[in-house]
Amino acid sequence: MTTSPEPSPEIRRVLVVTAHPDDVDFGSAGTIASWVAAGVQVTYCVCTAGDAGGFDDTPREDMPRLRQDEQRAAAAAVGVTDVHFLGYRDGQVTANLQLRRDITKMIRTVRPHRVISHSPEINWAHLPTSHPDHRAVGEATLAAIYPDARNGFAHPELLQEGLQPWTVAELWMSESPDERINRAVDITDYFDAKLAALSAHRSQTAHLDDLRSMIRRHLARTAERHGMAGRLAEAFHVVDTS
């Protein structure tokens, strides 16, 4: 297990690929805030608009716009301004070739040194994090990183758009089974930014009685499990994909 207070100088661009608005903020917003503070350029790619989410009587036709606006506000809370939505239907995401192509296009456009996404595995200890859309996006992102994005013969139409092959050096996966976790990031100094990002998702968090205490307890337990008692941490399964 290693801790990672800030990215190395070689990490200048990061792409975050998630299934729904708010996924990045529950899993990684503190870590991302720390990277942005260190000068890293971060781009969000959200595969759906979260149209199947919500806990109130908001009309269904209004939910996609609402949740996209919430995600942009949440991104701004941690210093991220580049946010893209792929337009897939919430609850219906599969790791098909179209999704692989769309994520490959994002990778070749952003040319990130590091990608954050979901784990494609089921976390049996905490099943709610293993939403089928999460696992599908995780699987498609892994396939886009290897082999698609680096292979000029994959999705040849992207070459016609001027998007050259790109090799991602690292994949960071959230929601991984505990036995896979090999990196913990101390986000104590960025807790308020993470909370602000989560609070921006009012359609998803406004019904929670004490969001601050709930998130702090979770992050404190994560830190303690990974040798940082008294601190707050987010944890990842990090894979060398270079």
Side-chain angles (χ1 to χ4, degrees):
M1 171 64 59
T2 60
T3 59
S4 180
E6 61 184 37
S8 67
E10 292 77 21
I11 303 299
R12 300 185 302 279
R13 294 183 300 276
V14 171
L15 174 65
V16 182
V17 185
T18 63
H20 313 107
D22 80 22
D23 290 340
V24 59
D25 300 302
F26 276 105
S28 313
T31 298
I32 289 164
S34 73
W35 292 346
V36 171
V40 175
Q41 176 184 327
V42 179
T43 297
Y44 287 177
C45 172
V46 185
C47 295
T48 80
D51 43 288
F55 293 90
D56 57 24
D57 58 359
T58 300
R60 285 293 98 189
E61 62 270 20
D62 294 341
M63 189 58 69
R65 177 193 54 78
L66 173 62
R67 295 203 67 192
Q68 289 180 38
D69 288 346
E70 289 175 343
Q71 182 61 87
R72 292 187 183 97
V78 296
V80 175
T81 59
D82 192 17
V83 182
H84 302 260
F85 297 91
L86 296 184
Y88 287 81
R89 290 294 303 275
D90 186 355
Q92 301 180 25
V93 182
T94 59
N96 57 28
L97 287 173
Q98 182 63 43
L99 181 57
R100 286 170 55 174
R101 178 198 176 278
D102 288 345
I103 297 172
T104 296
K105 183 174 182 177
M106 285 298 307
I107 291 172
R108 292 193 189 178
T109 299
V110 175
R111 302 175 80 78
H113 305 100
R114 175 181 293 161
V115 169
I116 295 183
S117 192
H118 306 282
S119 171
E121 298 185 77
I122 296 175
N123 184 346
W124 293 108
H126 192 51
L127 194 59
T129 64
S130 298
H131 188 293
D133 286 356
H134 291 198
R135 290 184 283 115
V137 169
E139 181 181 345
T141 300
L142 179 58
I145 291 172
Y146 179 81
D148 294 1
R150 70 189 67 189
N151 180 4
F153 300 108
H155 315 295
E157 65 275 17
L158 297 181
L159 285 179
Q160 297 172 11
E161 297 178 32
L163 296 173
Q164 296 298 314
W166 178 258
T167 298
V168 175
E170 295 178 356
L171 171 61
W172 289 45
M173 290 171 282
S174 61
E175 305 152 1
S176 295
D178 287 346
E179 63 270 20
R180 300 282 193 223
I181 300 299
N182 58 3
R183 189 73 55 90
V185 180
D186 186 336
I187 66 157
T188 308
D189 295 340
Y190 298 95
F191 174 72
D192 287 341
K194 179 181 178 75
L195 187 67
L198 285 168
S199 298
H201 296 282
R202 289 192 54 78
S203 67
Q204 309 305 300
T205 62
H207 68 288
L208 299 173
D209 290 336
D210 192 349
L211 179 66
R212 184 182 188 90
S213 294
M214 180 185 76
I215 297 301
R216 179 177 282 277
R217 284 194 301 271
H218 169 71
L219 298 173
R221 287 194 297 266
T222 299
E224 187 169 7
R225 280 199 307 271
H226 300 296
M228 292 183 283
R231 307 294 289 176
L232 305 175
E234 293 171 340
F236 303 88
H237 177 201
V238 179
V239 177
D240 184 338
T241 54
S242 59

